[in-house]
Amino acid sequence: MAQNTEHESFADRLKTAMAHRGLKQSDMIRAASELGSKLGKSQVSQYVSGKTVPRRDVVALLARILDVDEGWLEGAASLQAEPNTPVIPNDERASARHEAADQPSDSDRQHDAPTQRSTSMREFNKSSKLDNVLYDVRGPITDEAARMEAEGQRILKLNIGNTAPFGFRTPDEVIEDMRTQLTDCEGYSEARGLFSARKAIMQYAQLKGIPNVSMDGIYTGNGVSELIQLCMNALLNNGDEILIPMPDYPLWTACAALAGGTPVHYVCDEQAEWNPDIADIESKVTPRTKAIVIINPNNPTGAVYPREVLEQIVEIARKHQLMIFSDEIYDRLVMDGFEHVSTATLAPDLPCVTFSGLSKSHMVCGFRIGWMVLSGNKRCMKDFMYGVNMLSNMRLCSNVPSQSIVQTALGGHQSVNNYIVPGGRIYEQRNYIYEALNAIDGVTAVKPKAAFYIFPKLDVEKFNITSDEQFALDLLHEKRILITRGGGFAWPEPDHFRIVFLPRMGVLQEAVEDLADFLEHYRQR
Ligand code: PLP
């Protein structure tokens, strides 16, 4: 009879059984393939080293290969040995445990399946609050890319706007300032943020012409992301509708849904430089509509909305008494001399919340620092502000060392300006990707005016595309390029995808050549 010894890990049992059968890792892979299943090299090595514990179906496969009882292998402690369960001498067990001694502790390990006494345990399902939430930018296609990377394949990630891996450096002065102030940032700050940071944000808002801004209406956050979630929770009751652009920045849709609201998407029109379709917005307002979200400059399209378009949106908000949320995190990455107009400047009589931060303009998205500015008609949003304060207090404060650099970052020379003019990386990479994509037969793209994303269109008939997820997976498998499918941005047709054009020119050129080569023969089945 073989019982699982307490503290014995999955890796211990796997290694013991492999040793017992005289099987090496390569034998396991071969045996899996003979059984018509696939086991990757890195997969097996992760199980053996204890870094990962396999899912239940993989445990079953391993048990089959090793001819041991599945429950024993999985770790059901009280399980009686089946006739085929290896009877392992105590000294062997001791040595297997000894081998495991210098492996990571359980708490270090990444589990993808329960391992201890789990067979009779009830299942813990995710909350039904997440049923309507979709967040695909880091979704199943990214998981597949991670799996391929774990196997040792190199993946070019054109899927998220993460500046640091592509060699964009934070200005030295910003780093130096954080270093200097670090020891003063050990405690919590006031919930809304440090006075110096909020003062600098207030002055920045004033320079942009935002009316009726005061210190008590400025909140710092762990990125704009945290503040989006905070506002949606503070505002939306179950069933309240909120207008969100389509394509969207998916966090807005996800947070609105998680808060119990109903995201209603209005169309941004590719034929009109991706500007919002005013008639579509108007047609989607109902008595339940509480607010409208504007993302300008836009992710994923790179659009910058002209003043007249914003005026028309504000007019709809005025007519229907909507609150305005304007996400302007890319306002300092506008190219070609286009003017960025802050929506709040056009709506002094309406309740407005404007979002921005340092993630993109100062290439510090890992520092997690963003802010929001309440402006315009504050009388009508008193109770909302009460809710915002409550939630802001509940999260205590945002990252204080990151708040300490806001003043430096917003003042003086803006080094991001060097990137967005002729000769600058973002400017030149934007020009290249725009020209190169449009040169591919079956691909068209509107030229982005800001930020570092492009949202190209595929000729679905030519490529026989019915699923953008399949397209993204096929491209990943064949060329090891990771893009985000249009569906990740609530785009209803399978005909778009987003590319982040942050990689250096050489890498970008190679990526586009690979994409062109792929599309040369690609026909979706
Ligand atoms: N809003 C938009 C439109 C974005 O594109 C992003 C990040 O990509 C965010 C908000 C989140 O930014 P942060 O890093 O400040 O959380």
Side-chain angles (χ1 to χ4, degrees):
M1 192 194 320
Q3 286 198 336
N4 288 319
T5 316
E6 229 187 317
H7 306 310
E8 195 178 47
S9 69
F10 177 84
D12 290 335
R13 288 186 295 282
L14 179 62
K15 282 188 292 194
T16 310
M18 282 168 67
H20 194 78
R21 302 275 173 234
L23 296 179
K24 295 196 293 293
Q25 293 187 26
S26 53
D27 300 323
M28 300 290 291
I29 296 164
R30 197 169 322 109
S33 146
E34 278 162 16
L35 290 172
S37 302
K38 194 168 177 301
L39 266 183
K41 216 160 130 187
S42 70
Q43 225 180 328
V44 179
S45 116
Q46 295 216 1
Y47 302 151
V48 169
S49 69
K51 281 197 188 124
T52 309
V53 179
R55 291 190 315 262
R56 195 165 276 168
D57 55 328
V58 182
V59 175
L61 173 66
L62 295 170
R64 209 170 145 207
I65 295 169
L66 292 165
D67 196 21
V68 296
D69 181 78
E70 189 184 324
W72 172 81
L73 187 59
E74 194 176 26
S78 60
L79 218 97
Q80 300 289 313
E82 293 293 314
N84 60 1
T85 302
V87 178
I88 300 147
N90 279 337
D91 54 351
E92 266 189 59
R93 286 177 184 219
S95 77
R97 263 202 304 282
H98 183 69
E99 271 170 47
D102 52 8
Q103 289 174 4
S105 69
D106 273 355
S107 60
D108 291 332
R109 286 183 194 142
Q110 180 194 335
H111 286 245
D112 58 7
T115 54
Q116 298 205 350
R117 301 169 193 248
S118 58
T119 41
S120 61
M121 195 72 181
R122 68 178 162 136
E123 295 233 348
F124 290 87
N125 298 325
K126 68 176 166 54
S127 147
S128 56
K129 291 200 290 288
L130 287 166
D131 286 352
N132 300 320
V133 176
L134 175 80
Y135 193 74
D136 226 18
V137 175
R138 297 191 192 234
I141 301 165
T142 325
D143 292 346
E144 173 62 3
R147 192 198 60 74
M148 290 167 71
E149 272 189 325
E151 271 183 358
Q153 304 190 46
R154 254 191 62 224
I155 308 290
L156 177 59
K157 299 200 190 83
L158 304 180
N159 64 323
I160 50 172
N162 194 7
T163 45
F166 299 109
F168 286 94
R169 304 302 314 180
T170 308
D172 290 344
E173 196 188 350
V174 170
I175 300 288
E176 192 44 45
D177 265 41
M178 187 187 276
R179 208 196 308 271
T180 312
Q181 299 182 78
L182 201 53
T183 49
D184 298 330
C185 298
E186 289 164 358
Y188 296 125
S189 68
E190 206 259 291
R192 276 175 289 211
L194 295 172
F195 180 84
S196 64
R198 284 160 59 229
K199 192 80 187 177
I201 294 162
M202 187 170 103
Q203 287 167 347
Y204 181 73
Q206 285 169 342
L207 286 177
K208 292 214 69 157
I210 299 181
N212 196 18
V213 178
S214 55
M215 288 290 279
D216 63 354
I218 296 172
Y219 299 77
T220 61
N222 294 304
V224 165
S225 304
E226 183 188 36
L227 298 171
I228 291 175
Q229 185 158 8
L230 196 150
C231 281
M232 295 299 93
N233 281 330
L235 182 73
L236 297 174
N237 287 317
N238 288 349
D240 281 348
E241 291 174 9
I242 177 163
L243 293 162
I244 296 177
M246 182 180 76
D248 67 358
Y249 176 64
L251 188 67
W252 278 104
T253 305
C255 290
L258 190 55
T262 304
V264 176
H265 290 106
Y266 65 84
V267 175
C268 294
D269 182 4
E270 190 167 21
Q271 303 306 315
E273 310 250 301
W274 285 118
N275 287 329
D277 180 330
I278 302 298
D280 191 60
I281 296 178
E282 181 78 61
S283 75
K284 292 195 169 143
V285 177
T286 75
R288 300 220 65 161
T289 313
K290 221 170 186 179
I292 181 163
V293 175
I294 298 159
I295 302 174
N296 176 41
N298 190 270
N299 173 11
T301 64
V304 176
Y305 302 156
R307 181 181 290 271
E308 312 78 74
V309 169
L310 290 170
E311 278 168 350
Q312 291 175 69
I313 300 175
V314 167
E315 202 40 53
I316 294 176
R318 190 171 283 127
K319 183 168 146 197
H320 298 283
Q321 306 207 355
L322 308 181
M323 189 161 182
I324 295 175
F325 293 106
S326 195
D327 181 343
E328 304 181 0
I329 193 164
Y330 298 99
D331 71 337
R332 279 149 288 161
L333 278 86
V334 176
M335 293 174 272
D336 308 324
F338 285 102
E339 179 197 20
H340 178 260
V341 179
S342 199
T343 317
T345 62
L346 307 172
D349 53 330
L350 299 179
C352 287
V353 188
T354 305
F355 299 80
S356 195
L358 299 184
S359 286
K360 314 294 172 171
S361 62
H362 290 75
M363 313 290 174
V364 289
C365 49
F367 286 10
R368 312 308 299 127
I369 174 71
W371 57 81
M372 62 179 179
V373 176
L374 277 57
S375 70
N377 187 339
K378 289 200 193 136
R379 241 175 314 125
C380 69
M381 55 172 159
K382 256 197 192 135
D383 203 50
F384 166 73
M385 281 176 80
Y386 185 77
V388 166
N389 282 338
M390 191 186 276
L391 292 171
S392 169
N393 289 337
M394 282 159 61
R395 55 96 208 228
L396 298 174
C397 67
S398 71
N399 180 308
V400 182
S402 298
Q403 291 181 48
S404 77
I405 60 169
V406 171
Q407 192 177 21
T408 305
L410 284 182
H413 173 67
Q414 296 293 299
S415 57
V416 70
N417 289 342
N418 302 338
Y419 290 130
I420 56 174
V421 293
R425 272 188 68 187
I426 293 180
Y427 180 91
E428 297 298 337
Q429 288 165 199
R430 185 275 313 253
N431 284 359
Y432 170 74
I433 195 92
Y434 165 68
E435 301 283 346
L437 285 173
N438 281 295
I440 301 174
D441 195 19
V443 181
T444 49
V446 175
K447 191 174 192 175
K449 300 185 177 83
F452 31 69
Y453 311 98
I454 190 163
F455 199 55
K457 180 174 186 179
L458 294 159
D459 180 340
V460 282
E461 279 182 18
K462 176 175 163 57
F463 302 117
N464 194 35
I465 291 174
T466 52
S467 158
D468 56 358
E469 184 163 9
Q470 194 55 50
F471 167 75
L473 278 171
D474 292 340
L475 180 64
L476 177 65
H477 287 143
E478 190 176 319
K479 295 293 182 186
R480 299 196 296 280
I481 296 175
L482 178 61
I483 49 93
T484 309
R485 69 189 184 100
F489 305 97
W491 191 251
E493 304 296 330
D495 60 353
H496 279 78
F497 64 103
R498 186 189 72 172
I499 286 186
V500 174
F501 56 80
L502 285 171
R504 286 186 189 281
M505 196 64 101
V507 180
L508 213 50
Q509 278 164 346
E510 220 176 285
V512 176
E513 277 161 25
D514 276 352
L515 176 67
D517 187 50
F518 172 80
L519 289 173
E520 184 92 5
H521 64 81
Y522 186 67
R523 299 291 173 275
Q524 199 169 90
R525 269 181 245 155

